[in-house]
Amino acid sequence: MPERAGPKVYSIAAHRGFADALVAGLAPRYGQGELGLARLTLLLPSRRAVRTVTEAFVRHAGSVETPGLLLPRMVVVGDLDLDETLGPLLDPLGAADIAPAADPTRRWLRLAHYLREVDGDAAGKGAALLRRAWELGRTMDRLLVEGIAPLDLMSERVIGVVGELASHWTDNTRTFLKVQQYWLAELAARGEIDAPERRNQLFEHAAREWRLAPPVFPIVAAGVTSASPALAKLLRVVSELPEGSVVLPDFDLALPQDVWEELGTAGNPAGPEDPPFGPHDAVTHPQYHLKLLLNRMGIAREEVTAWHRSGPGASPPSRSTVISNLFLPPQASTAWVGLEAERRRLPGVRLMESAHPEQEAQAIAILVRQALEVPERRVAVITPDRGLAARVVAHLTRWDIAADDTAGLPLSQTAAGRLMLLLAEVMADQAAPVPLIALLVHPLAGAGEGRAAWLESARKLDRGLRGPRPGGGLAALAEIAEARKIGAWWGEVEAVLAPLLALDQGEPLDTMLGTLADAAERLCGEAIWSGADGRSLSAMVEELRAAAASAGTLFDPRELHAMLRDVMDRAAVRPPWGGHPRVSIYGLLEARMSRADLVICGGLVEGTWPAAPAQDALLPPAVLRALGVPGADFRIGLAAHDLAAALGAPEVVLSWALRDAGGPVIPSRFVLRVKALMGADEAKRHVETEALRLARMIDDATPVPAHPRPQPMPSAGQRRVDLSVTGLDRLRGDPYEFYANAILGLSRLDALDAEPSAAWKGEVAHLVMERWHRAGEPVDGLHTIAQQVLVEKNAHPLMRALWWPRLSAALDTFRDLVLAHKTHGRRVIATEAKGDMDYRGIRVHGRADRIDRLADGKLAVVDYKTGSPPTTRRVEEGFALQLGLVAMIAEARGFKDLDDRVIEGEAEAFEYWSMAKNKDTIGYTTTPLKEGSKRTGVLPDEFMPHTEDYLNDALDRWILGTEAFTARLNPELGSYADYDQLMRLDEWITSLGGRSEPKDSEPRTGDGA
């Protein structure tokens, strides 16, 4: 590369492969002697770029016969995404007179404090306030990076714009200015400056020093495209150093001059009063930010020359020409009409349209797998969609391909981060069942030799917490643990959690974080801090604790988990070295400067690539334009530049799906441009179909016959099981459910923190009535007993508050009915009585909610219902015969009264006492028999024989017979659906062809064939 006068600015075209081409040119020029390259300083845009260039040096060393290689010094100076690195990155250059940078985390907490002072309660609180403070800090950084001083916000032009805006924008702008002034005053008092301002001053210091005394070692700025004014001035100085140069990525030297002019002013207005960014600037063009950089450097486009080397993965030079045509701005794109075919073709580029993201991920994984069949072939998957990247990584494990997503995972999605969030959720929700069990069974909790015993105890607690949520706090949980015989283990857990639940509102945030970290370490040991995620979590906690202590931040423990999630979502945990050496999965930032033989660009849909432009939450677009800050569409141009760089690879696949989890989506505007440039006929020849075909086939199993309707046939010995009074309905309505419950012994497991079910409410109501009767039925004592029962059941306060009005009203109705019956000689003789009888050698058992003795000495059987009772029609059809079976047990002397004496007598009355609403009353009584004005149903005198007939029929057919326990024998009846998955209902229910089984309403005799 010959020396030349003036600034030395070079461009590596997209088709050459930036990192490899850069190294191919640097190595021969600066590699003379053992310390040649070690004297070189490379200014690179990001930490990921350092890794990419390092890998390129390693590949270069492997392709030449050299005994070893000393890498150049690599310094990170900025990034295309101005939010990526905003710290003081040039400290090694000196500049002791530059003030230290303020801690960004401390600044974030202090900005929240000032927001609260300025806006009061309107500023929000907790996590919401901190989110707003974070956005305010990002806006401040953005202005500082653009070289906009706080005083510029007070200029007449800005004030004039603010006065013309809607009131909410005016209020936001004023809030921003006030908070910024508070913060600047604090900075002055502390002798600090913001990190972006310090970086700007470091750049200016380096530029002055290098201009006055050029360094003796060579300096090359490579891949830096951030157009911040301070960095642009430094790059200008670097380009004029005797052994300095600037190398730009993917700068289009072949772009026609008229197209270059059409890009707009790009920070170089014609007059002093003109805005830096014109209203018609093509900010979405991939070359726009490079034009902005050159204008701020003071470099003419003609001064940029082509780099003299290519990388090993270069594609044909014609590719760059087509890419240039692809992204032409609006006026210039009219030239597409007359473009010859050669300038439209993109050989090596394929288009892949999937039906949904899952199919897209599977197809991408197949393309990666195929590429790895070729020796030394490298493949890169580039996508801003982290969900798609995770799916691709998961699909590749099918072939034992360990592909690392170099964009990393948010800390909140790692094992260590998730455990810390669970601890914060347990603290916020006062040990609610769902976060508590998730915490106790977390892979890091109780790790070590006692892990198996720990999990066994956690599962026992899990079983005890199934159903409605118990009362908040640890006392209710201790009772459950004691009942499950895990009291000693729970004592250890309680010792860990008690300090967290003792924290009150307004505690210092650093104290709160320290308590949380101590609890995590006591729960997991050193495992919580090991690994990449543990180290990242440790750094985050310590940084946040130190900043909170310095800022004096007070916080609400109920908001801590939301705040920690926000912080963890912003912290990416990148994988260490160790993935497949020829597979890389990149985000857009990580993909810059990288190159592979096959590049797959996934997630090319609007809103993802490019991302939807996000307006600044605090300063209105008009104010930002007046200040000379690029608009939100500027990032679309960066996304276009990322795609243009990817299109330079030898082989490229552009992939998108027609829908996402929320519904149909629109393909990226970049995809539509590719199709439009190629033309319909040419685009069809570039469609990738084979990977999609394989993706559809890879999980297709050999067709199997439809699963038959289950009809288990247990042996005669297995059939002889006890029959409960409620089990007769289950046996006759759905024999398979009876088989699964009574013969297999399977029962449904309630969900954690489940809504109170009808069965749970019924149990509470039954217990209340039982205790009231045993207490002598005091007129004023029913509500007191009900409250005591709810406390014993650990009913959650919210559930109690919502259910109590209906429960208390129904209990009042029941009390009045019982007391009224007393005046007519009817009295309660048994409640919640368990009884059984031997019937044809089978034990029939059940529990009577209540049995009353009537004035004539006969019995009344009562059953409580929290909802509507069964209808007379259902009883007539042979179902809901529970009252009849209880009466049969009573007549067989199977129950005892309140004084523990055997009940004797004939049943005459059969009643349901419902807690449901009937007209204007909560709670009422009814009978399932044909009485009064009812036109259908079973007559009272016929009810007992009716019940016995159906009992005999069920015993003859299933318990003592040979009939199969057919699933959903009567599908029209309501079912609990507890065993639908076990019977694989969805696989065979439609095979009935719309036919319904005849109602099994008449009792049958014989074997039921």
Side-chain angles (χ1 to χ4, degrees), residues 50 189 212 389 395 565 665 670 699 716 727 804 830 927 938:
V50 171
L212 294 174
H395 282 304
R565 181 177 294 278
V665 293
F670 305 143
D699 290 322
W804 178 251
T927 180
V938 179

Side-chain angles (χ1 to χ4, degrees), residues 450-479:
R451 173 69 174 169
W454 176 280
L455 285 179
E456 185 64 29
S457 299
R459 292 187 182 111
K460 288 180 180 178
L461 181 64
D462 182 358
R463 292 296 297 270
L465 290 175
R466 294 284 169 167
R469 178 188 298 193
L474 300 176
L477 297 171
E479 294 179 9

Side-chain angles (χ1 to χ4, degrees), residues 60-117:
H60 176 78
S63 63
V64 296
E65 295 182 358
T66 55
L69 182 67
L70 291 177
L71 293 178
R73 176 172 180 252
M74 302 184 198
V75 178
V76 178
V77 296
D79 202 287
L80 288 175
D81 188 332
L82 300 180
D83 298 326
E84 174 75 1
T85 47
L86 296 174
L89 302 177
L90 289 179
D91 278 325
L93 293 177
D97 56 334
I98 299 177
D103 176 28
T105 305
R106 183 184 181 280
R107 181 188 71 166
W108 168 46
L109 298 176
R110 293 300 294 164
L111 290 179
H113 170 76
Y114 291 133
L115 265 174
R116 187 75 173 173
E117 279 195 9

Side-chain angles (χ1 to χ4, degrees), residues 46-49 51 79 81 83-85 386 404-411 414 531-536 569-578 585-591:
S46 66
R47 293 183 180 90
R48 176 63 213 180
R51 181 170 174 174
D79 202 287
D81 188 332
D83 298 326
E84 174 75 1
T85 47
R386 304 326 315 148
D404 292 331
D405 182 1
T406 55
L409 275 178
L411 179 57
T414 64
D533 57 339
R535 291 189 292 273
S536 178
D569 284 344
R570 295 192 291 262
V573 180
R574 290 180 169 83
W577 298 82
I585 298 181
Y586 298 124
L588 297 189
L589 286 174
E590 291 73 29

Side-chain angles (χ1 to χ4, degrees), residues 807-842:
L807 174 64
S808 62
L811 292 176
D812 287 342
T813 301
F814 290 177
R815 178 197 59 202
D816 294 342
L817 287 170
V818 170
L819 296 179
H821 288 332
K822 272 188 176 183
T823 63
H824 295 89
R826 175 173 170 174
R827 60 189 178 87
V828 177
I829 61 172
T831 60
E832 302 300 315
K834 295 181 180 179
D836 60 6
M837 68 176 179
D838 185 285
Y839 189 85
R840 298 176 58 185
I842 300 300

